[in-house]
Structures are given as structure tokens and as C-alpha cells.
Amino acid sequence: MSVPQSPRTFSAASTAAEVIDGVDLHGRRAVVTGASSGIGVATTRALAAAGADVTLAVRNADAGVQVAARLEAELPSGSGKLSVGRLDLSDRSTVAEFVASWHGPLDILVNNAGVMAPPEIARTAEGREWQFGVNHLGHFALAAGLHPALAAADGARIVAVSSIGHLFSPVVFDDLDYRFRPYDPWTSYGQSKTANALFAVGAAQRWANDGITANALMPGNIADTSLARHMDMQQVADFIASGELALPPQKTVEQGAATSVLLAASPTVEGVTGRYFEDCAEAKPVTERAGAVAGVAAYALDQDNAARLWTVSEALIR
């Protein structure tokens, strides 16, 4: 008589390779946004190594081609195929072009790309505040456009990369674009990351009957990433020194990608939807930002907030 195997458990120290070990994704198709650097590359590598055909959806197609070539040289035989598609989340015309070019089912969508805390306000091609426009609205338009492809798959998964930065701000529905309040890079970032989490809640509400699950996550404090490329580093140092920013322990890129890969492919979260994860486990609630280095705020999982954001977002991408 065989002894049943205990479910595998993972932690903050787990890597993407450890999470994907033993998972077979042959015949599955995935899209990873922001796949030309950081955890996007590590996520792509893990999914392809398990057999998935992965499209790197990137703003700079040349950089994407270079990354794909490097990964193809590293991946073992039997890995999935890699392809590159241009996607600039700040310009929804490129989102529409990417969606129009997609044919057939889509099993995994990892909304990984993002921008963080530019010191001065910027706006997308459509006039939206840049962080909200790129981090949320661009991904919202992408997922909505790819919804038929996701629904055509057998149990598609959407992964929304959020952040502990969501603790800096809820979604301020009365002033999404900083037309009235003074621009602040951190509350703007926080609002966009809250929106990422609420998107997962909203997709879970609306798309469950299509067999689609959607979850959000905090990847961790990862130094080796291009996310901070637009930031004023003196401003960051001053912000940390002021005590307003609490950071969790640093992770490697491979550790940072682990929770994304878990939600994208692991059987341990089969059927789980509308949740927020960190360190490869569901996050615990927190009630205030002060001193928090982990956890999720109630407003980022609120069903009413999610429904309102969905309605607003649909109107904004028309």
C-alpha cells in the first residue's frame, strides 16, 4: 500500500526552479509581460523549462529577442518555445495590436511588467497618470482583450504582480490621475499596486464560470531589477531614512519569481482565485502601514472596491 504524498510547501527562500520542479506544462501557452529583465526573465525561464510555449511581451522587441536567444541557449532540451511580441503598456494601441495578433487559447497570463515611483508626474499616451496607466490600465486592457483566449483554455490562470507598496495608498477613485492632489510618487505607486490586487479580485468575480483563476502577489524586495530605473535614488534614500518605508529582507531574482511561478503553474494552488500571495503563501491581513514588511490591506481585497474599479477601468479603456 502506497503512502500518500504530502502537499509540497514552499517559503520565502524557494526559487522559481524549485516551485516548477515536477510540473509538466507541455501543450500550454503563456504570456509574460516585462519579460526582458528581472523576475520576468526568471518567470519565463521557469515556465519554458516546464514545457510551456512562452511569449515575451515586451516594450523593446530587440531586447526581448536577445533575452529569448539567451534563454534558448540555457534551457534544457524539451523546453517550450519562446517568441517575442511588442507591448508598450503606456500606449494602448500596442496593447490592441498584441491582442489582435494572438490566436488560439491562452493558458497563463502573467502581468509582470511595471514602473515605480518616477520623481515627476508623467502621463500615458491616453493622458492617464503614468503608474496607474501602465501598471493597472495597460494590463487591464490586455487581460480584457485576451479574455476570449483565456476562456478557451482549460483552466487558465492570470497572475497579477502587485507589491507591498500597495500599503502606501488605496485606489483614490475621485482623483485617479492626480488632477487635484499634489503628485506623490509613492502614493501613486501604491494606488497602482492596489489596483493590481483588486484586478485579481474582479477577474475572480467575473470570469470564474470561464474556468479562469486570478491571483495577485508580492514578489519581494529584489535589488537586481530594472523596476527602479525611473526613480530618484536620493529621494528613495531620504524616504527610507524618514522611517516611512519598511522593506522586507532582500531576495534573489529567482526567489522573487517563485510566487509568480507558483500561481501560474503549481498544482498546490489549483482552483484558488481572488487572493493575494507573498513568499509562496497567502498573505496575512494588516491594518496599518507603520512597521509592516508583509501582509495585505483589506482595501486591496475588498469586493466592492474591485467591482467599482472594474467598472471605471472598462470606461477608461473604451
Side-chain angles (χ1 to χ4, degrees):
M1 180 177 178
S2 62
V3 178
Q5 294 290 317
S6 300
R8 296 181 66 191
T9 58
F10 303 101
S11 69
S14 298
T15 65
E18 291 168 346
V19 169
I20 205 71
D21 184 44
V23 176
D24 184 2
L25 296 179
H26 286 90
R28 302 294 182 93
R29 303 170 74 201
V31 168
V32 180
T33 70
S36 60
S37 64
I39 64 172
V41 175
T43 300
T44 299
R45 180 190 293 112
L47 297 178
D53 294 336
V54 185
T55 298
L56 292 74
V58 296
R59 183 176 55 83
N60 185 329
D62 290 339
V65 168
Q66 292 176 13
V67 169
R70 174 165 58 83
L71 289 177
E72 286 171 344
E74 299 171 358
L75 286 165
S77 61
S79 295
K81 297 179 181 178
L82 300 180
S83 58
V84 176
R86 183 172 180 270
L87 178 72
D88 183 347
L89 292 165
S90 71
D91 182 348
R92 286 203 305 278
S93 67
T94 75
V95 178
E97 290 169 2
F98 184 93
V99 168
S101 71
W102 188 267
H103 300 287
L106 174 61
D107 301 279
I108 300 166
L109 172 61
V110 183
N111 290 338
N112 167 81
V115 293
M116 183 167 68
E120 304 296 333
I121 193 166
R123 301 198 181 275
T124 67
E126 292 77 28
R128 306 270 72 89
E129 187 278 317
W130 198 45
Q131 294 190 86
F132 184 78
V134 171
N135 295 347
H136 169 63
L137 280 179
H139 278 128
F140 181 87
L142 177 67
L146 291 173
H147 173 250
L150 292 160
D154 182 15
R157 298 188 186 190
I158 302 175
V159 180
V161 178
S162 181
S163 169
I164 193 173
H166 82 274
L167 298 180
F168 294 141
S169 178
V171 173
V172 181
F173 288 99
D174 291 331
D175 191 19
L176 293 171
D177 294 313
Y178 287 79
R179 301 288 184 183
F180 296 92
R181 53 189 166 138
Y183 173 73
D184 176 80
W186 294 109
T187 60
S188 169
Y189 180 67
Q191 173 176 253
S192 73
K193 293 290 104 179
T194 295
N196 291 153
L198 288 174
F199 163 75
V201 176
Q205 290 171 335
R206 285 160 179 77
W207 295 347
N209 289 340
D210 298 315
I212 299 169
T213 60
N215 294 284
L217 71 116
M218 156 64 170
N221 175 18
I222 304 150
D224 187 14
T225 176
S226 64
L227 181 63
R229 63 189 180 278
H230 301 290
M231 293 168 60
D232 181 330
M233 299 314 294
Q234 183 58 52
Q235 181 188 59
V236 176
D238 293 343
F239 192 38
I240 293 172
S242 73
E244 293 187 65
L245 181 63
L247 291 175
Q250 279 198 359
K251 289 184 177 183
T252 66
V253 171
E254 282 290 324
Q255 290 169 331
T259 307
S260 292
V261 172
L262 178 96
L263 293 174
S266 175
T268 64
V269 292
E270 185 73 33
V272 175
T273 191
R275 312 287 180 83
Y276 179 96
F277 280 68
E278 61 191 356
D279 297 338
C280 294
E282 192 169 351
K284 296 179 180 179
V286 294
T287 57
E288 62 180 24
R289 188 179 80 196
V293 295
V296 59
Y299 57 70
L301 295 176
D302 184 86
Q303 300 276 334
D304 292 338
N305 286 347
R308 184 179 182 185
L309 180 63
W310 196 280
T311 299
V312 168
S313 300
E314 285 184 325
L316 290 176
I317 67 169
R318 285 186 187 132

